[in-house]
Amino acid sequence: SVDDVWNLLTDYENLQNVVPNLVVNEVLELLPGSPSPQTHLHALDPNLSHAEQCRAIAQNMKGAILKQVGGAKVVGINFSARTTLEVREWPQGMPDFAHFEEE
């Protein structure tokens, strides 16, 4: 079900068990979010750019800061990539204005 997939993807502590080639997955911080983050949509400053409005809403969303390392062997050569990322949950989807447009 959709709920099962959502629960799997938001179980940050266990992502390495379901994401192929994710070698390291460390939760640096869990972000609790506010009780009703979608209610912040009406309080946005219209003078902000779409990107700034999206960031303002995201600050109220549940999520995590993750340190991840991926690794794979391609044609006998080991590759790895590492990143630290902030993940925010948008259970109702991102607002239309928040989707990126091609530049």
Side-chain angles (χ1 to χ4, degrees):
S1 79
V2 172
D3 289 337
D4 291 335
V5 173
W6 182 262
N7 291 335
L8 192 67
L9 293 175
T10 56
D11 181 7
Y12 303 114
E13 293 87 357
N14 294 297
L15 284 177
Q16 71 279 1
N17 298 326
V18 295
V19 176
N21 301 319
L22 187 56
V23 179
V24 173
N25 179 61
E26 181 182 346
V27 177
L28 301 178
E29 182 180 353
L30 287 173
L31 305 168
S34 66
S36 359
Q38 294 293 344
T39 60
H40 298 285
L41 288 173
H42 72 276
L44 290 176
D45 181 347
N47 297 316
L48 296 176
S49 71
H50 286 166
E52 291 168 323
Q53 289 180 43
C54 186
R55 267 189 233 104
I57 297 168
Q59 293 304 311
N60 296 298
M61 306 302 262
K62 187 176 174 184
I65 298 176
L66 308 170
K67 175 180 151 184
Q68 296 182 330
V69 178
K73 191 171 191 172
V74 179
V75 193
I77 300 171
N78 289 321
F79 289 92
S80 69
R82 87 180 50 218
T83 189
T84 300
L85 62 140
E86 180 178 328
V87 178
R88 295 293 183 151
E89 299 174 17
W90 296 80
Q92 307 305 315
M94 293 177 72
D96 287 339
F97 71 80
H99 295 272
F100 295 101
E101 297 176 10
E102 290 192 35
E103 296 178 14

